Amino acid sequence: MAASVPTPPKPEWQDADETSISCVWDPDPDCSYRLEYKEYPDAWEDCMSIEIPKGQGKADAGDGKDSGNTIEELNPTSTYCLRLVAIKDGVESEPGEELIVDTQAAKCTPDADEAKGKCVIS
């Protein structure tokens, strides 16, 4: 008999900077998750994803550290859509509700020595 896969929760925003977004959710202890993400308005068929093992998703896994739900190497000043797919015993759920988050603008400075790879205003 096929496993009953619960509907995945909507990810909740935790933090964002110029090139990364962190999110959390209340995970089902019997499920692992695939966190899918795309830049708006790209199609979901072209999305990227990261696999999240069972038990991860909460901001604090009991050890004072976040559980690694951070998407990195994103574009600054961009809008991203994130959603979860629950996976239980090899069976995948339909994608859950989307979270839409903007990355921050790159820090700019008129001093090239302080820019260190960031944009420079001249």
Side-chain angles (χ1 to χ4, degrees), residues 23-121:
C23 62
V24 296
W25 60 90
D26 188 19
D28 182 304
D30 296 325
C31 292
S32 59
Y33 293 90
R34 183 173 58 244
L35 177 58
E36 299 181 334
Y37 61 98
K38 68 180 185 84
E39 191 169 350
Y40 178 84
D42 293 350
W44 279 111
E45 292 76 27
D46 301 323
C47 75
M48 303 291 291
S49 65
I50 57 174
E51 302 297 320
I52 309 293
K54 283 183 184 179
Q56 290 191 2
K58 293 184 179 182
D60 184 344
D63 58 3
K65 301 176 184 174
D66 76 31
S67 53
N69 306 316
T70 300
I71 303 167
E72 298 178 321
E73 299 181 21
L74 302 176
N75 295 319
T77 320
S78 298
T79 300
Y80 285 88
C81 303
L82 291 67
R83 67 184 184 183
L84 290 168
V85 174
I87 304 166
K88 182 177 179 183
D89 298 327
V91 179
E92 295 184 1
S93 70
E94 290 295 317
E97 191 177 344
E98 294 179 25
L99 169 67
I100 300 173
V101 180
D102 292 333
T103 53
Q104 296 178 6
K107 292 185 172 99
C108 294
T109 177
D111 184 347
D113 291 334
E114 292 179 17
K116 298 183 182 173
K118 308 284 186 189
C119 63
V120 177
I121 302 169

Side-chain angles (χ1 to χ4, degrees), residues 16-28:
D17 62 23
E18 296 100 336
T19 60
S20 68
I21 296 170
S22 297
C23 62
V24 296
W25 60 90
D26 188 19
D28 182 304

